[in-house]
Amino acid sequence: MPPIRNQNIAERLYDTLLLDQPSVMMRMLSGPKVTQTIKVAIAAATASMLMAGAAKADESAFLKTLAGNWSGKGTVKVRTNAPTMKVTCRFKSDANASSLALNGRCTSLAIFSRVISANLKASGDTYTGSYVGAGTGTAGLGGKRAGNAISLAIKWAKEVNGDRRAQMTIEKTGASGMRLTTIDTDPATGRSVVTSRIELRRS
Protein backbone atom coordinates (compact mmCIF):
# COMPACT_ATOMS: atom_id res chain seq x y z
CA MET A 1 0.00 0.00 0.00
CA PRO A 2 1.71 3.28 -1.09
CA PRO A 3 2.08 6.15 1.39
CA ILE A 4 -0.89 8.55 1.57
CA ARG A 5 0.47 12.05 1.30
CA ASN A 6 -2.70 14.10 1.47
CA GLN A 7 -4.01 14.55 5.05
CA ASN A 8 -7.65 14.97 3.97
CA ILE A 9 -7.54 11.74 1.96
CA ALA A 10 -6.04 9.95 4.95
CA GLU A 11 -8.77 11.20 7.25
CA ARG A 12 -11.50 10.14 4.80
CA LEU A 13 -9.92 6.73 4.50
CA TYR A 14 -9.78 6.45 8.27
CA ASP A 15 -13.48 7.33 8.60
CA THR A 16 -14.50 4.90 5.87
CA LEU A 17 -12.51 2.00 7.26
CA LEU A 18 -13.40 2.59 10.88
CA LEU A 19 -17.10 3.22 10.36
CA ASP A 20 -17.89 1.00 7.38
CA GLN A 21 -15.29 -1.80 7.50
CA PRO A 22 -14.11 -2.18 11.10
CA SER A 23 -12.74 -5.69 10.54
CA VAL A 24 -10.61 -4.48 7.63
CA MET A 25 -9.37 -1.62 9.78
CA MET A 26 -8.35 -3.97 12.54
CA ARG A 27 -6.36 -6.17 10.11
CA MET A 28 -4.60 -3.11 8.70
CA LEU A 29 -3.65 -1.87 12.14
CA SER A 30 -2.14 -5.23 13.00
CA GLY A 31 -0.19 -5.48 9.73
CA PRO A 32 3.20 -4.01 8.82
CA LYS A 33 1.96 -1.68 6.08
CA VAL A 34 0.10 0.93 8.12
CA THR A 35 1.39 4.27 6.94
CA GLN A 36 2.53 7.06 9.21
CA THR A 37 -0.11 9.41 7.82
CA ILE A 38 -2.95 7.09 8.84
CA LYS A 39 -1.42 6.75 12.31
CA VAL A 40 -1.31 10.55 12.63
CA ALA A 41 -4.92 10.85 11.46
CA ILE A 42 -6.06 8.24 13.99
CA ALA A 43 -4.15 9.96 16.80
CA ALA A 44 -5.55 13.38 15.88
CA ALA A 45 -9.13 12.09 15.72
CA THR A 46 -8.76 10.35 19.07
CA ALA A 47 -7.27 13.43 20.72
CA SER A 48 -10.04 15.61 19.32
CA MET A 49 -12.74 13.32 20.73
CA LEU A 50 -11.04 13.20 24.12
CA MET A 51 -10.69 16.99 24.26
CA ALA A 52 -14.33 17.50 23.30
CA GLY A 53 -15.43 15.07 25.97
CA ALA A 54 -13.24 16.72 28.60
CA ALA A 55 -14.61 20.19 27.78
CA LYS A 56 -18.19 18.96 28.10
CA ALA A 57 -17.43 17.18 31.35
CA ASP A 58 -15.75 20.26 32.83
CA GLU A 59 -18.71 22.51 31.97
CA SER A 60 -21.15 19.97 33.35
CA ALA A 61 -19.32 19.92 36.68
CA PHE A 62 -19.35 23.72 36.89
CA LEU A 63 -23.02 24.10 35.96
CA LYS A 64 -23.98 21.52 38.57
CA THR A 65 -22.62 23.83 41.30
CA LEU A 66 -25.16 26.51 40.29
CA ALA A 67 -28.26 24.31 40.54
CA GLY A 68 -30.75 24.62 43.39
CA ASN A 69 -32.69 27.24 45.33
CA TRP A 70 -31.02 30.53 46.20
CA SER A 71 -31.89 33.57 48.30
CA GLY A 72 -30.10 36.75 49.25
CA LYS A 73 -29.86 40.51 49.09
CA GLY A 74 -28.33 43.16 46.89
CA THR A 75 -28.74 46.50 45.20
CA VAL A 76 -30.50 47.57 42.01
CA LYS A 77 -30.57 50.79 39.97
CA VAL A 78 -33.32 50.88 37.36
CA ARG A 79 -31.16 53.36 35.39
CA THR A 80 -27.56 54.49 35.80
CA ASN A 81 -28.69 57.89 37.13
CA ALA A 82 -31.42 56.49 39.41
CA PRO A 83 -31.16 56.01 43.18
CA THR A 84 -29.81 52.70 44.47
CA MET A 85 -32.42 50.41 46.02
CA LYS A 86 -31.78 47.57 48.43
CA VAL A 87 -33.54 44.40 47.33
CA THR A 88 -34.31 40.92 48.60
CA CYS A 89 -34.22 38.14 46.03
CA ARG A 90 -35.13 34.51 45.58
CA PHE A 91 -34.08 32.33 42.66
CA LYS A 92 -34.49 28.79 41.44
CA SER A 93 -31.72 27.48 39.23
CA ASP A 94 -32.07 24.46 36.96
CA ALA A 95 -28.85 23.16 35.41
CA ASN A 96 -27.74 20.16 33.39
CA ALA A 97 -24.67 19.25 31.36
CA SER A 98 -25.14 22.05 28.82
CA SER A 99 -27.71 24.58 30.09
CA LEU A 100 -28.55 26.90 32.96
CA ALA A 101 -31.93 28.46 33.75
CA LEU A 102 -32.14 31.09 36.51
CA ASN A 103 -35.61 32.27 37.45
CA GLY A 104 -36.46 34.54 40.34
CA ARG A 105 -37.81 37.79 41.69
CA CYS A 106 -36.28 40.76 43.50
CA THR A 107 -38.34 43.12 45.68
CA SER A 108 -37.74 46.32 47.66
CA LEU A 109 -40.46 47.01 50.20
CA ALA A 110 -43.58 47.94 48.23
CA ILE A 111 -41.93 50.18 45.63
CA PHE A 112 -40.08 47.67 43.47
CA SER A 113 -40.76 44.11 42.35
CA ARG A 114 -39.25 42.58 39.24
CA VAL A 115 -39.02 39.14 37.70
CA ILE A 116 -35.46 38.30 36.67
CA SER A 117 -34.44 35.34 34.54
CA ALA A 118 -31.46 34.14 32.53
CA ASN A 119 -31.52 31.11 30.24
CA LEU A 120 -28.20 29.92 28.86
CA LYS A 121 -26.92 27.16 26.59
CA ALA A 122 -23.30 26.04 26.83
CA SER A 123 -21.04 24.79 24.07
CA GLY A 124 -17.70 24.17 25.71
CA ASP A 125 -16.97 27.36 27.66
CA THR A 126 -19.08 29.52 25.29
CA TYR A 127 -22.58 30.57 26.39
CA THR A 128 -25.53 32.06 24.53
CA GLY A 129 -29.06 32.76 25.67
CA SER A 130 -31.59 35.32 26.85
CA TYR A 131 -32.21 37.62 29.83
CA VAL A 132 -35.27 39.31 31.27
CA GLY A 133 -34.91 41.92 34.00
CA ALA A 134 -34.59 45.46 32.67
CA GLY A 135 -38.26 45.97 31.87
CA THR A 136 -37.61 46.42 28.13
CA GLY A 137 -38.30 42.90 26.88
CA THR A 138 -36.09 39.86 26.33
CA ALA A 139 -32.40 40.66 25.85
CA GLY A 140 -29.76 38.51 24.15
CA LEU A 141 -26.76 37.10 26.01
CA GLY A 142 -23.42 35.84 24.75
CA GLY A 143 -20.03 35.21 26.33
CA LYS A 144 -17.65 32.75 27.94
CA ARG A 145 -16.74 31.23 31.27
CA ALA A 146 -13.36 31.84 32.84
CA GLY A 147 -12.74 30.17 36.18
CA ASN A 148 -15.81 30.52 38.39
CA ALA A 149 -17.45 33.33 36.39
CA ILE A 150 -19.54 33.43 33.21
CA SER A 151 -18.99 36.86 31.61
CA LEU A 152 -21.77 37.85 29.20
CA ALA A 153 -22.47 40.72 26.84
CA ILE A 154 -26.10 41.89 26.99
CA LYS A 155 -27.96 43.20 23.94
CA TRP A 156 -31.14 44.87 25.16
CA ALA A 157 -34.37 44.59 23.20
CA LYS A 158 -34.63 48.41 23.36
CA GLU A 159 -32.28 51.20 24.35
CA VAL A 160 -31.35 51.28 28.02
CA ASN A 161 -29.18 54.13 29.32
CA GLY A 162 -28.67 55.48 25.81
CA ASP A 163 -27.73 52.27 23.99
CA ARG A 164 -28.47 48.56 23.80
CA ARG A 165 -25.28 47.20 25.37
CA ALA A 166 -24.37 46.14 28.90
CA GLN A 167 -22.47 43.41 30.75
CA MET A 168 -23.53 40.62 33.09
CA THR A 169 -21.52 38.26 35.26
CA ILE A 170 -22.80 35.08 36.90
CA GLU A 171 -20.16 34.04 39.41
CA LYS A 172 -19.86 31.09 41.78
CA THR A 173 -18.56 32.36 45.13
CA GLY A 174 -17.25 29.96 47.73
CA ALA A 175 -18.83 26.59 48.39
CA SER A 176 -22.46 27.76 48.44
CA GLY A 177 -22.65 31.29 47.06
CA MET A 178 -23.49 32.97 43.75
CA ARG A 179 -23.15 36.61 42.67
CA LEU A 180 -25.15 38.23 39.86
CA THR A 181 -23.81 41.54 38.55
CA THR A 182 -24.89 43.83 35.71
CA ILE A 183 -22.85 46.81 34.54
CA ASP A 184 -23.95 49.54 32.15
CA THR A 185 -22.47 52.79 30.83
CA ASP A 186 -23.74 56.14 32.07
CA PRO A 187 -24.52 58.12 28.89
CA ALA A 188 -23.77 61.44 30.63
CA THR A 189 -20.27 60.55 31.89
CA GLY A 190 -19.26 57.49 29.87
CA ARG A 191 -18.40 55.69 33.09
CA SER A 192 -19.29 52.10 33.91
CA VAL A 193 -21.96 51.82 36.59
CA VAL A 194 -22.99 48.74 38.53
CA THR A 195 -26.75 48.67 37.98
CA SER A 196 -27.31 45.51 40.03
CA ARG A 197 -25.30 43.32 42.35
CA ILE A 198 -27.05 40.45 44.09
CA GLU A 199 -25.34 38.15 46.57
CA LEU A 200 -27.08 34.79 46.90
CA ARG A 201 -26.67 31.78 49.16
CA ARG A 202 -27.99 28.31 48.56
CA SER A 203 -31.17 27.88 50.58
Side-chain angles (χ1 to χ4, degrees), residues 77-84:
K77 295 166 70 75
V78 295
R79 294 293 182 269
T80 54
N81 58 355
T84 299

Side-chain angles (χ1 to χ4, degrees), residues 27-69:
R27 289 198 300 272
M28 288 180 62
L29 290 175
S30 62
K33 295 184 178 181
V34 180
T35 67
Q36 185 64 29
T37 305
I38 292 179
K39 290 180 180 179
V40 170
I42 293 171
T46 302
S48 178
M49 288 186 290
L50 290 174
M51 290 175 64
K56 183 176 181 180
D58 289 346
E59 217 56 30
S60 174
F62 173 74
L63 288 171
K64 185 178 179 180
T65 67
L66 301 179
N69 296 314

Side-chain angles (χ1 to χ4, degrees), residues 76 78 85-89 104-116 133-135:
V76 169
V78 295
M85 295 181 290
K86 293 183 179 180
V87 295
T88 300
C89 305
R105 180 181 291 273
C106 290
T107 59
S108 178
L109 300 176
I111 61 174
F112 177 86
S113 179
R114 181 165 290 176
V115 171
I116 298 175

Side-chain angles (χ1 to χ4, degrees), residues 24-175:
V24 174
M25 186 63 175
M26 291 303 101
R27 289 198 300 272
M28 288 180 62
L29 290 175
S30 62
K33 295 184 178 181
V34 180
T35 67
Q36 185 64 29
T37 305
I38 292 179
K39 290 180 180 179
V40 170
I42 293 171
T46 302
S48 178
M49 288 186 290
L50 290 174
M51 290 175 64
K56 183 176 181 180
D58 289 346
E59 217 56 30
S60 174
F62 173 74
L63 288 171
K64 185 178 179 180
T65 67
L66 301 179
N69 296 314
W70 303 79
S71 61
K73 298 182 179 181
T75 59
V76 169
K77 295 166 70 75
V78 295
R79 294 293 182 269
T80 54
N81 58 355
T84 299
M85 295 181 290
K86 293 183 179 180
V87 295
T88 300
C89 305
R90 291 185 178 276
F91 283 85
K92 181 179 180 181
S93 175
D94 295 313
N96 58 37
S98 61
S99 69
L100 173 68
L102 280 169
N103 294 282
R105 180 181 291 273
C106 290
T107 59
S108 178
L109 300 176
I111 61 174
F112 177 86
S113 179
R114 181 165 290 176
V115 171
I116 298 175
S117 68
N119 291 278
L120 296 169
K121 294 288 186 182
S123 177
D125 62 355
T126 299
Y127 287 77
T128 56
S130 61
Y131 170 69
V132 173
T136 58
T138 303
L141 295 174
K144 289 192 173 186
R145 177 173 72 90
N148 287 329
I150 306 171
S151 298
L152 301 159
I154 303 174
K155 185 176 181 180
W156 302 119
K158 300 178 181 178
E159 282 196 2
V160 178
N161 297 311
D163 60 28
R164 294 178 60 189
R165 298 183 303 276
Q167 299 291 322
M168 171 185 287
T169 303
I170 301 172
E171 182 179 5
K172 182 76 172 64
T173 58

